[in-house]
Amino acid sequence: MQQVVQRGRPGQTSAGQISSQRLSWPRFFLRYPIFLLAFGPPLFRAADKYAGVDTSKAHFDIWTILQLGLIGLVSSRALLRLANSRIIRLTAPVRSVVKYWLFLGLMFVVSIAYSPGRAVSFAYSVIYFLILTSITEFLVDTYRTPPDWMQCLFALRLVSLLLFLAVLVTLPISPGMVLEGFRLLGGSVASVPLIAPVIAIVSAYSFLHSLEPRLQAALLTLLGIAGTAVTQWRGAEIGLIVIFLILGLVWARESLRSAYKLVGASVALSLVVILVLLTVGAGRVWNRFNRGGDFQNIVTISGRTELWSEVIAYCSVHPQGMGYIAGIRSSRISSGGSTSFHSSLTHMGGTDNSYFEVLADAGWIALLLYLVILFKIIALGMRFALEHSRRRPRSELIHRRPIQCALLIFGFCLIDGMDSSIFATPLTQAYYFQHIAMAVILGTASSIILARRRSSAHLPNQLGKQNHLPRQNNLSNS
């Protein structure tokens, strides 16, 4: 638990000087309600609710109203707090990212003019800015009073666990709502290929760095891995493997003992994999992973490359894109077989790729802005996450841990985003998860920047006092 540090006169604090204690969960979610957005909330509706319905037009039911109501409450609170703030401060790197977020939103607004479903594009543009307002208020608030950043990531895991429980409860009641064959995808209740890896990543990081009871962290890690395997979602499986490899390498850098443990675990895992391949057969393992797809299915990523090439061809002629959200939904591109399953689960057409989704929404400039945002966040996070502890005070360790873990979650979202467009579509849990991870990275980086500013300002004062004291002694002696 972090300690509260106060400086200056009683009752007064300056920006970033308080690191709040870990709060109870009800107080935490009331204090930082953007984490409530990660719930979605779960949509307990049939998978074929909008089957055969034009998804470029707005459709409402009780679950849509609940979603919009939650966003409205969180964003209204954010707007009121920002309006009542006498001074709105952000560090320069965070301010730069927020500006790019704003410019990207303006590109989506412009796309309303040529969107085939203007009502849908307008509605999603409003939702985009409501979410951006909530994130900005969170960053402004944490600039003044930083939270326990690791608790923020534990909160994201708690949301994932509750959503996973909702899927398991729904499974015996209405299997068709969360199952596709034998794949537990969660349907509209929750995205299991997202929440299961998040559980595994946060728990594995906590296990390696002893941030909670190790038995609890180990069990939750196994739960997340098992949940990911049951989905048979290749993007999630590949993403989790890559993130685990990065996690192991980062952990091994911290000490020679960690490096020895990583080498030993890698050798043991390699032997187990070889044994499984010899026992079961490499062909059967590959068919299981690829779900029996042929060579063309593998090369085209289940037909996705054909879809992406059509999006590129369209945007080459129309560089402004198709219109925010509604464009790709109403185009003939989104009616292909490669996206029919995606459409039946999420009630929307899409490109099955977050980057091509942005391109289809508002064209090449929007894609460039989106990539700049991602690059700036990654660069800012890695600037502090990979610094060796010997180069900086150990007090920065409380910030370096959460920024590393948040980067791992963000990295998973970027990898899985190559296989799904939900990370670029508001009103989806994946969209909230990715943006919350981005906000945690930016907020933690701000805390480190502010702490270093205070340290650099405090050092000259200390040196001045040391140089001044001997001078006073000499005068007194003379």
Side-chain angles (χ1 to χ4, degrees):
M1 183 179 294
Q2 300 178 16
Q3 296 180 349
V4 178
V5 179
Q6 294 184 348
R7 294 177 182 174
R9 290 182 297 176
Q12 291 188 351
T13 57
S14 59
Q17 285 189 343
I18 296 180
S19 184
S20 61
Q21 293 182 339
R22 187 162 293 184
L23 305 173
S24 63
W25 287 122
R27 289 183 61 193
F28 178 87
F29 285 109
L30 288 174
R31 184 72 178 81
Y32 307 107
I34 66 164
F35 289 89
L36 292 173
L37 295 179
F39 280 102
L43 310 180
F44 297 97
R45 58 157 71 108
D48 58 350
K49 169 71 176 179
Y50 293 138
V53 177
D54 183 3
T55 53
S56 65
K57 298 179 180 179
H59 303 279
F60 297 97
D61 59 10
I62 183 62
W63 303 113
T64 306
I65 294 173
L66 287 176
Q67 274 189 311
L68 298 176
L70 178 60
I71 295 174
L73 288 174
V74 175
S75 59
S76 297
R77 174 187 178 274
L79 283 170
L80 289 174
R81 288 174 63 87
L82 288 175
N84 293 328
S85 298
R86 291 179 297 178
I87 300 177
I88 297 178
R89 291 181 177 177
L90 294 171
T91 56
V94 175
R95 194 162 56 244
S96 174
V97 173
V98 172
K99 287 180 180 178
Y100 279 105
W101 259 328
L102 178 61
F103 293 150
L104 179 60
L106 293 177
M107 293 296 300
F108 294 149
V109 172
V110 171
S111 72
I112 297 174
Y114 51 84
S115 172
R118 294 183 179 181
V120 172
S121 297
F122 174 78
Y124 274 94
S125 297
V126 172
I127 294 170
Y128 175 92
F129 280 103
L130 291 178
I131 296 171
L132 178 58
T133 301
S134 302
I135 292 175
T136 303
E137 188 275 329
F138 172 77
L139 294 173
V140 171
D141 184 25
T142 55
Y143 178 95
R144 295 188 296 259
T145 307
D148 184 318
W149 289 110
M150 201 63 216
Q151 186 181 16
C152 293
L153 299 175
F154 285 142
L156 209 56
R157 186 184 66 179
L158 176 62
V159 172
S160 301
L161 286 169
L162 294 176
L163 290 173
F164 193 74
L165 178 62
V167 171
L168 295 180
V169 171
T170 308
L171 182 60
I173 300 174
S174 179
M177 193 179 295
V178 294
L179 280 177
E180 175 63 25
F182 293 99
R183 304 171 67 196
L184 185 64
L185 297 180
S188 56
V189 177
S191 176
V192 180
L194 168 69
I195 60 177
V198 168
I199 294 172
I201 292 169
V202 176
S203 302
Y205 188 90
S206 176
F207 175 83
L208 291 178
H209 297 93
S210 302
L211 301 179
E212 61 182 339
R214 305 196 79 179
L215 178 60
Q216 172 184 321
L219 292 176
L220 291 177
T221 302
L222 293 176
L223 174 64
I225 294 174
T228 306
V230 172
T231 66
Q232 299 184 43
W233 189 273
R234 283 175 298 188
E237 293 170 342
I238 294 173
L240 188 59
I241 292 173
V242 172
I243 295 303
F244 271 5
L245 289 175
I246 297 174
L247 173 59
L249 293 175
V250 172
W251 178 64
R253 290 178 73 250
E254 298 192 352
S255 67
L256 188 60
R257 182 179 180 183
S258 299
Y260 287 147
K261 288 183 178 180
L262 178 65
V263 172
S266 300
V267 172
L269 181 61
S270 300
L271 293 176
V272 171
V273 170
I274 293 173
L275 181 62
V276 170
L277 292 177
L278 292 176
T279 304
V280 179
R284 293 182 62 184
V285 173
W286 173 250
N287 287 333
R288 182 67 175 174
F289 175 76
N290 195 48
R291 302 195 300 276
D294 54 16
F295 178 76
Q296 184 177 2
N297 180 271
I298 298 172
V299 172
T300 62
I301 316 178
S302 300
R304 287 178 173 84
T305 56
E306 298 176 5
L307 172 66
W308 300 340
S309 63
E310 289 188 45
V311 172
I312 294 175
Y314 180 91
C315 292
S316 298
V317 180
H318 306 86
Q320 76 278 12
M322 305 177 184
Y324 191 37
I325 305 298
I328 189 66
R329 289 186 181 186
S330 60
S331 68
R332 66 177 183 84
I333 296 176
S334 63
S335 61
S338 60
T339 57
S340 59
F341 173 63
H342 174 273
S343 178
S344 67
L345 285 181
T346 60
H347 322 304
M348 64 184 68
T351 62
D352 283 334
N353 184 291
S354 295
Y355 312 100
F356 284 104
E357 180 75 23
V358 176
L359 173 62
D361 285 339
W364 296 100
I365 297 179
L367 177 60
L368 177 62
L369 289 173
Y370 185 67
L371 294 177
V372 169
I373 291 171
L374 301 182
F375 174 79
K376 289 178 76 69
I377 293 176
I378 292 173
L380 181 62
M382 292 185 65
R383 170 184 165 189
F384 301 114
L386 298 181
E387 288 183 335
H388 200 278
S389 59
R390 294 178 183 177
R391 300 179 184 177
R392 293 291 177 180
R394 291 185 61 85
S395 59
E396 286 194 8
L397 194 63
I398 60 174
H399 296 310
R400 195 160 62 90
R401 293 283 186 245
I403 203 170
Q404 286 181 348
C405 189
L407 273 173
L408 293 173
I409 297 175
F410 184 46
F412 171 81
C413 294
L414 297 182
I415 296 173
D416 196 23
M418 299 179 184
D419 197 35
S420 175
S421 59
I422 57 178
F423 292 94
T425 308
L427 291 182
T428 61
Q429 289 160 344
Y431 185 88
Y432 300 128
F433 269 72
Q434 176 169 302
H435 279 71
I436 289 173
M438 295 158 77
V440 171
I441 294 171
L442 294 175
T444 310
S446 289
S447 297
I448 297 175
I449 292 172
L450 292 173
R452 292 184 179 179
R453 286 179 186 174
R454 292 194 304 274
S455 299
S456 60
H458 185 62
L459 184 59
N461 293 334
Q462 292 285 27
L463 292 175
K465 290 180 180 179
Q466 292 175 2
N467 294 331
H468 188 60
L469 285 175
R471 201 173 295 174
Q472 287 181 337
N473 292 335
N474 292 334
L475 290 174
S476 61
N477 291 334
S478 62

